[in-house]
């Protein structure tokens, strides 16, 4: 995405290297998965052995950092949807 005068800095910082809406939704989806992994499942299920081996995070710090990023990305995508639109794929001339 190219920075123009009408794009707020918070939108540009969130989506500066993403060109399409599909790429932005992939970013949001992967961050949601990361946020789900960052829940301290070990503290919630301490007696389940596979949980203690698979999930290594024991506090809420990573989740509390990644959850607001999901909201930020979502609002940035909505702003671009409403105001600018996304870059479409170039049609190849044959």
């Amino acid at each position: 995405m190219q920075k123009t005068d009408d794009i707020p800095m918070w939108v540009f910082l969130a989506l500066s290297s993403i060109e399409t809406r599909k790429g932005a939704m992939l970013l949001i989806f992967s961050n949601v998965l990361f946020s789900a992994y960052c829940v301290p499942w070990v503290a919630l299920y301490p007696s389940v052995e596979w949980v203690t081996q698979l999930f290594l995070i024991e506090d809420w710090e990573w989740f509390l950092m990644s959850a607001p990023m999901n909201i930020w990305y979502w609002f940035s995508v909505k702003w671009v949807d409403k105001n600018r639109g996304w870059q479409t794929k170039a049609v190849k001339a044959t």
Side-chain angles (χ1 to χ4, degrees), residues 14-88:
L15 304 173
S16 63
S17 62
I18 298 175
E19 298 293 331
T20 62
R21 188 175 199 284
K22 182 179 178 181
M25 296 309 290
L26 183 62
L27 172 70
I28 291 172
F29 178 72
S30 61
N31 200 27
V32 166
L33 287 178
F34 177 73
S35 298
Y37 179 80
C38 290
V39 171
W41 298 107
V42 174
L44 299 173
Y45 300 103
S47 61
V48 181
E49 185 177 334
W50 68 270
V51 171
T52 59
Q53 292 176 354
L54 181 63
F55 298 99
L56 305 174
I57 298 173
E58 296 180 358
D59 58 18
W60 288 95
E61 289 178 14
W62 284 99
F63 178 79
L64 292 176
M65 286 186 285
S66 63
M69 289 174 60
N70 287 326
I71 296 167
W72 175 31
Y73 293 150
W74 181 255
F75 281 122
S76 297
V77 167
K78 289 301 176 186
W79 189 93
V80 174
D81 285 345
K82 182 179 177 185
N83 294 293
R84 184 168 181 260
W86 294 95
Q87 180 177 346
T88 58

